[in-house]
Amino acid sequence: MSPPNEFRARASRNCGNCRTIKRRCDQQLPQCGQCIRMRENCTGYRDKWELVFRDQTNHTIKRSKKKSAKKAASTEVTEVTYSHPPARGLGPNLDEMGVNYFLQDFVSGGRSPSRGYLNYIPTAYSADLEHPTLVTSMAAVGLVALATQQPELVSHACNKYSEAIRHVNFALASPVEAVKDSTLMSVISLGVFEHVSNFESWVRHVKGAAALVIARGKSQFSSPAAILMFNQVRADMTAACLQSIQPFPDDMRELQEEATKNTDTSSAFWLLGVLATRCATLFANVSKNNWDIHASDFIPWSYFLEEAIVLQDDFQHVLALLAIQEPYTTILEFSGETSSIIYNGRYDLYRTSWAIRLWNNSRMVEIVVCEIACWLINKILTTDLAQPAQVHLKLKLKLQELLQIMSKRGEDVLASVPQGLGLISVLESQNFVDSPSHTCVSGGYMLTWNLYTVGKSPVVNDKTRQWIIKQLKGVSKSAGIAMALQLAQDIVEIDLTAN
């Protein structure tokens, strides 16, 4: 007789054919090498997300049963004399609840259609399921997310975070542990905790993650999961550089070049990441040039404008590619009852949370590029009066074009908010508007910077800005993300200045 499911070994990663006849599988992609050699039609592998949750559930059951057995053994003598109430059923402890919630919200996508945007986690997590650094980090983030619904978990989440930091520091002190995927994934996961707290601590954490990526060196890219984690750190580092007006680090750019040898450089996902790093560096260089306007090495504004326009044109090309690779559907809903959830009667439906993140990050960076180009055009129009009238007219027409693009990208971001925050549920081909009492934390984490970028844009009117402020405050209150409130207050000040 086979053992019960909860005591079976970890689910096999072998392909369907190799599992059926119980042979060793080399797990090669896209097809198993054994199947190729035997001229069989490879049936493929199990879904990594399914395996992660199966392993985690089995692991939780095992640990709970062990604890119950140990408790039963220690109380066996006293039970002869004393009567005890019935034992509570098996269930996960708080740490396991945190891990499970993290996997559900950030990996599976929670209320979103499928697949959370931290899509590198299943590979790294499955490879090192019980690594204490990784498990503790995910538990800390999961608990702080759960604490938005259960405030009594706040102190436990903070304690777990402190424990996770100790584990990370111990891992970083070891030459072997420091370069493991599980260590980098732990650091990235804890960045979510910092994002919930405040901007300054989040930036410090992002820089720490970047330093770890650099320390891992060029050999890290042999792992598919490592490419995805590098992309996460690259995206966070770009956001930090844009907000602090710093150029994208040269050593990170060198790693980006190395990573091109191990990734699909024709994908919109990769190309948009490269454009974002170029944008961060352009922004920093323009700002520096503005400070050095009387220096001998001052660079004419037309040089930077040309670079900005080329960059913006590159965005148009890549966004057209993204529309093919990650299409979405626009829904028009003019019911007044949903005005607090759906802005201007429009919301968009994406296939995955990952697609929402990819689209919005690209829109956010393109808005920044357009803002840079608009600033440069205005600078040229007001300082270079010797330009021919025809050149001035051309610049003014380009300015109007850029303002229209910024407005369109902002509208697209706002249309993604209902699904991104889990306010639109998607079941098969049907969708409906819902009003849950708690916004999903991963959705708030994903959209905070996007909303802020649109909210401070010069093309946004007062009505739109007020709606964005309301959404950011809602994210702060419901998802417990303090940074969202900080950014909302910043937009309030911008709004007061504009009026």
Side-chain angles (χ1 to χ4, degrees), residues 257-291:
E257 290 297 321
E258 183 67 23
T260 60
K261 303 174 184 177
N262 297 275
T263 191
D264 179 10
T265 56
S266 65
S267 70
F269 165 59
W270 178 260
L271 293 172
L272 287 168
V274 173
L275 292 182
T277 65
R278 288 169 54 191
C279 174
T281 300
L282 173 63
F283 189 23
N285 289 341
V286 169
S287 299
K288 181 178 182 299
N289 200 60
N290 191 42
W291 283 105

Side-chain angles (χ1 to χ4, degrees), residues 128-382:
D128 213 349
L129 183 63
E130 298 188 33
H131 196 287
T133 306
L134 180 54
V135 172
T136 308
S137 300
M138 290 193 295
V141 177
L143 286 171
V144 78
L146 271 172
T148 62
Q149 304 171 39
Q150 304 176 44
E152 66 274 13
L153 295 178
V154 170
S155 61
H156 192 83
C158 292
N159 291 336
K160 186 55 57 177
Y161 173 78
S162 298
E163 181 184 342
I165 289 294
R166 289 195 297 271
H167 278 294
V168 167
N169 289 336
F170 179 80
L172 294 177
S174 166
V176 175
E177 293 292 322
V179 296
K180 283 186 175 181
D181 286 351
S182 55
T183 300
L184 178 56
M185 194 175 99
S186 301
V187 173
I188 294 173
S189 300
L190 290 175
V192 177
F193 197 107
E194 299 290 359
H195 193 281
V196 168
S197 303
N198 61 74
F199 175 71
E200 290 77 15
S201 60
W202 176 75
V203 170
R204 287 194 298 269
H205 197 91
V206 169
K207 290 180 178 179
L212 180 55
V213 166
I214 293 166
R216 281 159 58 92
K218 297 180 178 180
S219 61
Q220 66 185 293
F221 298 120
S222 58
S223 163
I227 294 286
L228 293 170
M229 287 190 286
F230 172 78
N231 287 332
Q232 175 69 49
V233 176
R234 179 179 63 169
D236 288 343
M237 192 67 200
T238 300
C241 287
L242 285 171
Q243 299 306 322
S244 56
I245 317 181
Q246 296 291 325
F248 191 74
D250 290 336
D251 39 17
M252 283 286 288
R253 185 178 293 103
E254 290 176 6
L255 284 178
Q256 179 177 259
E257 290 297 321
E258 183 67 23
T260 60
K261 303 174 184 177
N262 297 275
T263 191
D264 179 10
T265 56
S266 65
S267 70
F269 165 59
W270 178 260
L271 293 172
L272 287 168
V274 173
L275 292 182
T277 65
R278 288 169 54 191
C279 174
T281 300
L282 173 63
F283 189 23
N285 289 341
V286 169
S287 299
K288 181 178 182 299
N289 200 60
N290 191 42
W291 283 105
D292 299 338
I293 193 167
H294 298 298
S296 58
D297 58 348
F298 172 77
I299 301 173
W301 295 122
S302 57
Y303 170 84
F304 291 110
L305 178 59
E306 182 179 351
E307 185 178 349
I309 291 176
V310 169
L311 184 54
Q312 203 276 323
D313 288 343
D314 289 344
F315 262 103
Q316 299 300 307
H317 167 73
V318 178
L319 286 174
L321 184 61
L322 183 58
I324 298 173
Q325 297 177 357
E326 289 290 350
Y328 61 88
T329 304
T330 294
I331 307 295
L332 300 179
E333 173 63 68
F334 295 105
S335 171
E337 299 176 359
T338 61
S339 59
S340 62
I341 298 174
I342 300 171
Y343 186 71
N344 273 355
R346 170 196 166 187
Y347 64 91
D348 294 336
L349 294 178
Y350 297 79
R351 294 186 296 188
T352 64
S353 297
W354 171 254
I356 296 175
R357 177 178 182 264
L358 186 56
W359 271 105
N360 279 351
N361 282 358
S362 63
R363 291 162 179 154
M364 179 177 69
V365 179
E366 188 183 13
I367 287 174
V368 174
V369 173
C370 289
E371 288 180 350
I372 295 171
C374 288
W375 186 89
L376 289 167
I377 290 175
N378 283 319
K379 197 75 172 176
I380 293 172
L381 289 174
T382 55

Side-chain angles (χ1 to χ4, degrees), residues 11-31:
S12 171
R13 269 79 177 157
N14 294 347
C15 75
N17 292 340
C18 292
R19 288 202 311 273
T20 299
I21 62 177
K22 295 182 173 58
R23 72 185 177 200
R24 184 184 296 275
C25 178
D26 59 14
Q27 300 179 19
Q28 293 296 311
L29 295 173
Q31 293 185 348

Side-chain angles (χ1 to χ4, degrees), residues 389-407:
Q390 186 177 2
V391 173
H392 273 241
L393 178 60
K394 185 178 179 180
L395 289 175
K396 289 180 179 179
L397 290 175
K398 186 63 179 179
L399 182 63
Q400 292 302 313
E401 177 190 338
L402 292 169
L403 292 174
Q404 290 175 4
I405 291 173
M406 290 165 63
S407 179

Side-chain angles (χ1 to χ4, degrees), residues 63-75:
R63 288 181 60 179
S64 297
K65 289 207 168 196
K66 283 180 182 178
K67 290 176 183 176
S68 296
K70 192 184 253 185
K71 184 177 181 181
S74 64
T75 58

